Amino acid sequence: RWPLQPTPPEEIKFFLDAGLELKVRADANRDSDPLRRGDALPNKPVTVVWANFWKADATKVDDALMRRLAKLTDLEYVGYNFEKYDGVIVTTDGARELGALVNLRRLDVCHHIKGGFDGSVLAKMPGLEDLHVAGIPGAAWARHVGGLSQLRTIDTFNVSI
């Protein structure tokens, strides 16, 4: 997809400071290599299209961060899973903020959500092509998968349906 709305540099810095890895798109031809905490900010207008929580500081990942992430509506990938997850304070409501990401094509989501992941946000992601679900108890999320007409793959790990 091109052109996209540029992401303000202060938003890029906020997410990098929280430990998220980001990929940005500056033109229609390719995305950047992952940007990480401590990397220099891009020196031209770019759009964040990829956000991964794997190395994030779990104590900085809360509902407010999820609300800010939801404003990055050009995101095509969110990897909500953690290498070290002690202290994650995202609630079900915070996870529902992801429903604003209507251009999302891939979502990785894990069980580190207080109150659980009910899957209701999936109905707001018509272009979702790939879904990875890890460690989420219950089948509430699975009821929402049937409406994803673009879904090509679904991977599960340690889930019960």
Side-chain angles (χ1 to χ4, degrees), residues 53-70:
F53 286 78
W54 184 249
K55 296 283 187 181
D57 179 345
T59 63
K60 294 182 180 181
V61 178
D62 58 10
D63 289 356
L65 182 141
M66 299 303 276
R67 277 190 293 280
R68 281 179 86 162
L69 187 75

Side-chain angles (χ1 to χ4, degrees), residues 61-137:
V61 178
D62 58 10
D63 289 356
L65 182 141
M66 299 303 276
R67 277 190 293 280
R68 281 179 86 162
L69 187 75
K71 293 177 183 175
L72 303 181
T73 56
D74 284 312
L75 276 170
E76 296 176 357
Y77 167 76
V78 170
Y80 183 82
N81 46 34
F82 299 86
E83 180 179 44
K84 298 177 183 172
Y85 50 85
D86 291 341
V88 174
I89 48 179
V90 171
T91 67
T92 300
D93 288 339
R96 287 182 182 140
E97 296 287 343
L98 297 176
L101 303 176
V102 297
N103 292 306
L104 212 60
R105 295 174 52 206
R106 179 179 173 159
L107 174 64
D108 296 351
V109 64
C110 70
H111 65 282
H112 303 296
I113 300 169
K114 290 185 180 185
F117 178 71
D118 65 8
S120 61
V121 300
L122 298 175
K124 299 176 182 178
M125 301 173 176
L128 198 64
E129 297 172 1
D130 301 294
L131 176 63
H132 177 84
V133 180
I136 297 180

Side-chain angles (χ1 to χ4, degrees), residues 20-23 48-53 69 75 77-80:
L20 276 71
E21 294 180 334
L22 306 174
K23 287 186 181 181
V48 174
V49 294
W50 189 94
N52 192 326
F53 286 78
L69 187 75
L75 276 170
Y77 167 76
V78 170
Y80 183 82

Side-chain angles (χ1 to χ4, degrees), residues 6-17 22 41 68 72:
T7 304
E10 60 273 10
E11 288 300 291
I12 295 172
K13 183 174 180 351
F14 171 81
F15 291 111
L16 292 176
D17 287 348
L22 306 174
L41 294 177
R68 281 179 86 162
L72 303 181

